[in-house]
Amino acid sequence: MRVIRVLSRVGPAARTRRFLGLSALGSVVLVSACSNDFDTTRTPPPRGTLGEEMFGILCDRVGAQALHEDLSGDSFLAMCHKSSAGKYVDKVDVTRLPPLVDGAIGADGKPITMQQQQDDRTRAIARIETLARRRGDLIAALDFTMPDIKVAVKDNKNGDPLKTCLAPKASGEARFHDELSDMLGRFQALYNDGTIPQSTESLAHIMDAFKASPEAQASYTHFDARQGYRPIDLALGATRPIIAYPNLRDLANATLSLISADSNPYDPSAKYDDQGNRIAVPGAAYPQFSKLLEVTHEELRDVKADPALAALPIPVADTSGRAVLARPRTNLEVMQALFYAQDPAFGGGTSRYIVRRDPRGYAFVPLVAGAIPAPFVDKDNDKLADVDALGRFITTDNSTPLSPFFAVGTDLGKRDMAGRALGASGQLVYGYIDTSHTFTASLLSDLKPLVNADAAANHETLMYALSGAYALFGSRDGSNKTTRAYSPNPNLVDEWKLTHTEKPPPDLTTAPVTISYNAFHPETSALLDLIYAFGQVLGDKTADDTLALTKDLFASHTGDMARLIGDGLYLKTQVADKHPEAKIPPKSVLWDEMIDVTAAIAKEPGLLEDV
């Protein structure tokens, strides 16, 4: 019936030709079905490495996009796939391309000149031939990234769900390429339910927004100008240890079920609405996570950059001989001074360096005799090396200075064993921070036992502190009562179209964007009171002496301090915890009286020392 419907849509002559063609095709099928000599064997083409086959797929795609007039792909096929002799070619076979046509019509319905057609073809040929020139590097990189090795596997096909994360009994290993193929095959379900198409469409929306934003492109250019700011082995940042985490799967499942719009997408007992659509059950923290994303979006969109500050001046002595700064430190400078403080006693292990940043975020160039050294320049005399509009250092001879660490495409130059850039006389070109011996390194080392996952170790101290901190933040609204207004968003029309079918309101892009949220009330926050009190203590004129005394006690009298802390822990665990009935009423003035007594003791010469 379908054949009859197709034939009914064309003219008599065309129907005759199509009917004869279909008849011939039917005859061939019938003859083949009645013959015992029909060859069902297939000779597969020779297989290459995984990198070669992936290159072939990529090359085919690039060739088809570049030379779309070559419907067969014969002009570039030999560039993408080896011949029977195991050879590639490096040039497009232009003899297999259709000839250019004078007066050809473009997609916009307008004629295209012969010169424009020739220029387009030349550019397309150069595109695929450039890919072919780097064929060896790309294939080697792919083969190195996905080597043909054995990998540990899980028994994820086991009928018992509790055993799917265990290794198979026969062998705990399998060929990586086979497992990769099997995983990609399982992706088919993600295509069928729309997950992958929606993901790629979302990525396309991001790319379109990036394309339409000169500010975003300029920011990316600034990032690109900072190649070599990190050692190449740290370029992946936290990605490598995260992927290597043995419980990553469990962590991901627990986190996603908590913040996802659908906490259990594979629930066999899920409920459905009247239209047969599955009713999703959001995770327990989905509303809070959505609100976090909403507020973060508006904060980043409406952010106003602080005015750039000059480099922090060197402290000078005041009339009392105390070293003071010419201006207060910013919040960021305070955090940098604290967490980046370096000392051989901090942390430990082999030194690992990162480049120090100046107030603008560029690599810090140390002063020499109070001035920026050559080849860097400082025309505005702000004690910072000048950069151009793209964030690249300006030099006296327009040369590109060495990157802080090795970066692909830059001159290796002269470097020390840690990869740091050295000048002609062997001095460090940039300032560096030894991350193995910073206050941050010591802090992380000290915090590690406080987050011990072993319940028997009873080391959830940090998590207990975090749960207690929530109560210290103060009371909350109880619902999204508090509002905050942001500047109008001119892009709201595009966002509206993604989730609505009706026409947007006329004032959508001119009215302020208002966000409602469940706010804390700082006037009831005990934590802010504590911070205020701590600031008052630090502001006291004796604060320096007190801190120096505390440092000396912990550094030079470790045993005495350990015994004192031990006595406190004993009072807590062995005495106080055994008598929960002994409580101090909230309105008791005991501690106020203790302070008065302590102050009186301190005023009596020698009494506090005796105590």
Side-chain angles (χ1 to χ4, degrees):
M1 292 300 295
R2 184 179 180 185
V3 173
I4 295 175
R5 286 197 300 270
V6 172
L7 291 175
S8 67
R9 298 194 186 106
V10 297
R15 282 201 298 267
T16 301
R17 291 194 299 270
R18 189 162 295 181
F19 179 75
L20 291 175
L22 290 172
S23 300
L25 177 61
S27 300
V28 171
V29 173
L30 290 174
V31 170
S32 300
C34 297
S35 172
N36 294 326
D37 299 329
F38 184 72
D39 187 5
T40 60
T41 62
R42 172 179 174 269
T43 303
R47 302 293 297 269
T49 66
L50 181 62
E52 290 174 339
E53 298 200 0
M54 292 184 67
F55 171 80
I57 296 172
L58 175 63
C59 181
D60 285 339
R61 184 67 177 267
V62 173
Q65 290 179 335
L67 298 170
H68 47 78
E69 65 268 33
D70 182 3
L71 302 181
S72 65
D74 289 340
S75 64
F76 57 82
L77 188 64
M79 303 176 66
C80 303
H81 305 277
K82 285 182 179 180
S83 65
S84 57
K87 300 292 184 181
Y88 289 102
V89 301
D90 297 327
K91 296 290 183 180
V92 172
D93 187 354
V94 295
T95 63
R96 294 182 176 272
L97 293 174
L100 303 178
V101 178
D102 191 12
I105 303 300
D108 57 358
K110 298 179 181 179
I112 307 175
T113 65
M114 288 291 288
Q115 184 60 47
Q116 182 62 47
Q117 293 182 55
Q118 185 59 57
D119 291 344
D120 291 343
R121 176 167 288 185
T122 300
R123 185 162 48 251
I125 291 174
R127 180 182 176 189
I128 188 171
E129 287 183 350
T130 300
L131 178 64
R133 283 198 298 271
R134 303 302 300 269
R135 181 194 302 115
D137 294 336
L138 182 55
I139 290 175
L142 292 171
D143 282 332
F144 181 82
T145 304
M146 293 168 284
D148 190 4
I149 59 175
K150 294 282 189 178
V151 294
V153 295
K154 307 279 188 187
D155 192 9
N156 52 20
K157 296 181 181 179
N158 196 303
D160 185 352
L162 299 179
K163 297 180 179 179
T164 55
C165 286
L166 302 178
K169 292 182 179 180
S171 172
E173 292 186 336
R175 187 167 175 256
F176 173 56
H177 289 178
D178 294 337
E179 293 300 307
L180 179 62
S181 175
D182 184 56
M183 182 193 72
L184 295 177
R186 295 197 301 271
F187 275 13
Q188 183 65 38
L190 300 180
Y191 278 98
N192 294 338
D193 66 9
T195 300
I196 291 182
Q198 289 176 9
S199 300
T200 55
E201 289 169 5
S202 299
L203 182 61
H205 286 307
I206 294 175
M207 293 297 103
D208 285 341
F210 187 85
K211 180 180 179 181
S213 173
E215 295 87 357
Q217 297 172 32
S219 297
Y220 182 81
T221 304
H222 276 75
F223 277 114
D224 185 64
R226 301 183 186 187
Q227 293 189 59
Y229 270 41
R230 290 184 296 176
I232 197 166
D233 59 330
L234 298 180
L236 290 178
T239 303
R240 188 188 300 273
I242 288 175
I243 294 177
Y245 178 53
N247 297 321
L248 178 61
R249 186 178 184 181
D250 296 333
L251 175 63
N253 288 336
T255 303
L256 291 176
S257 64
L258 184 66
I259 65 175
S260 176
D262 191 351
S263 59
N264 192 1
Y266 303 108
D267 185 6
S269 59
K271 297 180 179 180
Y272 294 82
D273 60 19
D274 297 337
Q275 286 74 38
N277 299 317
R278 185 176 171 279
I279 301 176
V281 179
Y286 174 70
Q288 293 84 351
F289 183 67
S290 299
K291 182 61 64 175
L292 174 64
L293 294 179
E294 182 183 14
V295 173
T296 302
H297 170 74
E298 295 302 331
E299 286 287 340
L300 293 177
R301 183 188 63 82
D302 205 37
V303 67
K304 300 295 187 298
D306 293 330
L309 294 176
L312 192 67
I314 299 175
V316 295
D318 61 6
T319 55
S320 64
R322 181 181 180 185
V324 295
L325 294 171
R327 66 166 174 83
R329 284 188 172 97
T330 63
N331 293 340
L332 179 60
E333 288 171 340
V334 170
M335 300 300 290
Q336 288 175 333
L338 175 62
F339 289 107
Y340 291 164
Q342 300 181 71
D343 192 284
F346 291 157
T350 305
S351 295
R352 299 180 67 90
Y353 296 95
I354 59 172
V355 66
R356 181 182 168 190
R357 305 294 187 94
D358 66 20
R360 306 165 301 176
Y362 300 111
F364 175 74
V365 178
L367 301 178
V368 176
I372 293 293
F376 303 98
V377 298
D378 181 19
K379 293 183 179 180
D380 54 5
N381 198 31
D382 63 352
K383 307 301 182 183
L384 300 172
D386 293 345
V387 296
D388 62 16
L390 298 180
R392 300 172 299 188
F393 283 115
I394 300 174
T395 56
T396 53
D397 56 359
N398 295 323
S399 62
T400 301
L402 286 175
S403 58
F405 296 97
F406 171 74
V408 176
T410 63
D411 183 13
L412 284 173
K414 188 177 180 181
R415 301 183 183 275
D416 63 9
M417 296 298 293
R420 298 177 295 179
L422 300 177
S425 59
Q427 81 283 5
L428 290 172
V429 177
Y430 305 98
Y432 294 88
I433 298 173
D434 181 3
T435 58
S436 297
H437 297 88
T438 60
F439 174 76
T440 305
S442 288
L443 180 63
L444 292 176
S445 177
D446 294 338
L447 289 178
K448 187 175 181 179
L450 302 183
V451 292
N452 193 332
D454 184 4
N458 195 25
H459 279 172
E460 288 289 344
T461 307
L462 185 61
M463 298 307 297
Y464 293 152
L466 291 177
S467 61
Y470 185 84
L472 297 178
F473 290 158
S475 60
R476 301 189 74 174
D477 290 335
S479 61
N480 295 330
K481 295 179 180 179
T482 304
T483 61
R484 177 168 180 174
Y486 296 90
S487 64
N489 186 355
N491 299 319
L492 278 183
V493 172
D494 295 332
E495 297 180 16
W496 177 278
K497 292 178 180 178
L498 294 176
T499 55
H500 298 76
T501 56
E502 65 271 18
K503 195 173 182 180
D507 62 342
L508 184 64
T509 59
T510 57
V513 178
T514 302
I515 298 294
S516 59
Y517 62 99
N518 185 11
F520 284 99
H521 294 280
E523 65 274 10
T524 64
S525 172
L527 186 61
L528 290 182
D529 290 339
L530 177 63
I531 295 174
Y532 175 79
F534 186 67
Q536 292 298 309
V537 171
L538 291 181
D540 188 87
K541 61 182 180 180
T542 63
D544 288 348
D545 296 333
T546 302
L547 291 175
L549 172 62
T550 304
K551 179 180 179 181
D552 182 67
L553 287 174
F554 279 94
S556 304
H557 304 276
T558 307
D560 296 332
M561 294 303 298
R563 284 193 294 273
L564 180 61
I565 295 173
D567 290 341
L569 292 175
Y570 178 84
L571 291 174
K572 167 69 170 59
T573 60
Q574 303 299 320
V575 178
D577 288 351
K578 292 183 178 180
H579 295 279
E581 75 283 357
K583 296 181 180 179
I584 299 177
K587 296 183 179 180
S588 172
V589 296
L590 172 65
W591 295 116
D592 301 270
E593 295 175 351
M594 287 292 294
I595 292 175
D596 292 338
V597 172
T598 303
I601 293 175
K603 292 178 180 179
E604 186 68 27
L607 181 57
L608 184 61
E609 289 80 355
D610 293 340
V611 174

